[in-house]
Amino acid sequence: MKQFLFLIGGLAAGFTAQAQTDTVRASTLPPAQLAEKYYNSGVAKFNNKSYQAALQDFDKALSVKKDFTPAYYNRAATRYELKQYAPAVQDYNEAIRLDPNSFTAWYGRAQAEQAQGQAAEAEKDYGKVTELKPDYAVAWYDRGALRFEKGDYQAALGDFTQAIKVDSKYAYAWHDRASTQRQLGNMAAAINDYTEALRHNPDLHVALLNRAAAKRRNKDLQGALADYNDYLRRRSDDPVGYLGRGTARYEAKDYKGAIEDLSHALKLKPDYALALNNRAAAYLKQENYKAAADDASAALKINPQYAEAYLNRGHAREMLRDAGGACQDWRRAAELGLESGTSYAAASGCE
């Protein structure tokens, strides 16, 4: 969470001058200054990540001064760190009631609502932040992320675009706008945005991986392979990278290379159903039907609803002269939504 903590100035000089000992008894202070004392102590403890102790100080500050807006805000921030999201929202409510124009309180409440799974409420509050402070890029970005998650890609695209207008170096906004463009089928625009994300943050490795996927979908297999190679030089422990490069090699008809990459992915993640299914497809191209059937079966043990694995196992079983098994697999693929399962079953004379 992006925290905003406010420190109130020290005690008035007159009271400091009266104190000749090392400490001042809190009970001798006027209420306003006593509240400030507890408040500043809470801020210091928050900054040291002593959240329970900070919470106690903010409680004391508010017990003395009921309308202490910053104390409500910072107690809410502390409760957020302690994962006390519902009480945090209540404190943000008070902070907003006392100061409706505090964009930080609206933003904090949105974060706490989002943490509780209240996406609609969080989206509304992020919108309020953009009204109060249009140049606050992170609010545009966070609302865009919520809209992306619910599949409202056009609205998400607008929010990410606005975040970039506010902060042209916002690498994550460039990245997520690129991913939104991919969802909308705009591959060239997605590739450009991933490139911008990497220009502003060369260490944003996920942008390289996703740009490779966008290039592959845009039929630029050589460009995709170059990006996958670069990504795997940086992240040699990521099975997703090997899956992606293996799929690109498959599409480039390099079946041997595809099997090598998919096998590496499976070494890193043995229960990777997608890699098993894709390797089964590569084995089919090499006419290694037994290995293809075994991989498809292994994928189905992990995911019994995997339609493509049924389809591939059907092809392997057909070539292994198991006509009944092939028909059964193609029918199951059709039941799971693959129309080609029906076509293969019909063409092979399955009853």
Side-chain angles (χ1 to χ4, degrees), residues 310-333 341 344-345 348 350:
Y310 281 110
L311 193 73
N312 284 333
R313 191 172 69 176
H315 295 326
R317 284 177 165 178
E318 179 187 37
M319 300 308 296
L320 291 168
R321 302 295 186 266
D322 180 5
C327 288
Q328 184 179 7
D329 280 346
W330 287 329
R331 290 195 195 99
R332 183 62 179 140
Y344 283 117
S348 297
C350 299

Side-chain angles (χ1 to χ4, degrees), residues 62 66-70 72 93-101:
L62 287 165
K66 303 294 185 184
D67 60 349
F68 199 170
T69 306
Y72 278 114
N93 289 343
E94 281 301 303
I96 290 168
R97 183 182 66 82
L98 292 166
D99 183 5
N101 294 319

Side-chain angles (χ1 to χ4, degrees), residues 28 61 156 185 201 206 245-246 262 275 345:
T28 68
N201 184 356
V206 68
R245 190 172 70 177
L262 295 166

Side-chain angles (χ1 to χ4, degrees), residues 159-179:
D159 280 347
F160 293 137
T161 298
Q162 192 61 40
I164 290 166
K165 285 181 180 178
V166 172
D167 181 359
S168 63
K169 297 180 180 180
Y170 199 161
Y172 286 98
W174 283 106
H175 175 273
D176 287 11
R177 190 174 77 167
S179 295

Side-chain angles (χ1 to χ4, degrees), residues 80 84-90 109-119:
Y80 182 93
Q84 299 174 5
Y85 302 124
V89 169
Q90 292 174 2
R109 190 171 75 173
Q111 293 267 285
E113 288 165 340
Q114 187 174 350
Q116 293 184 100
Q118 298 172 340

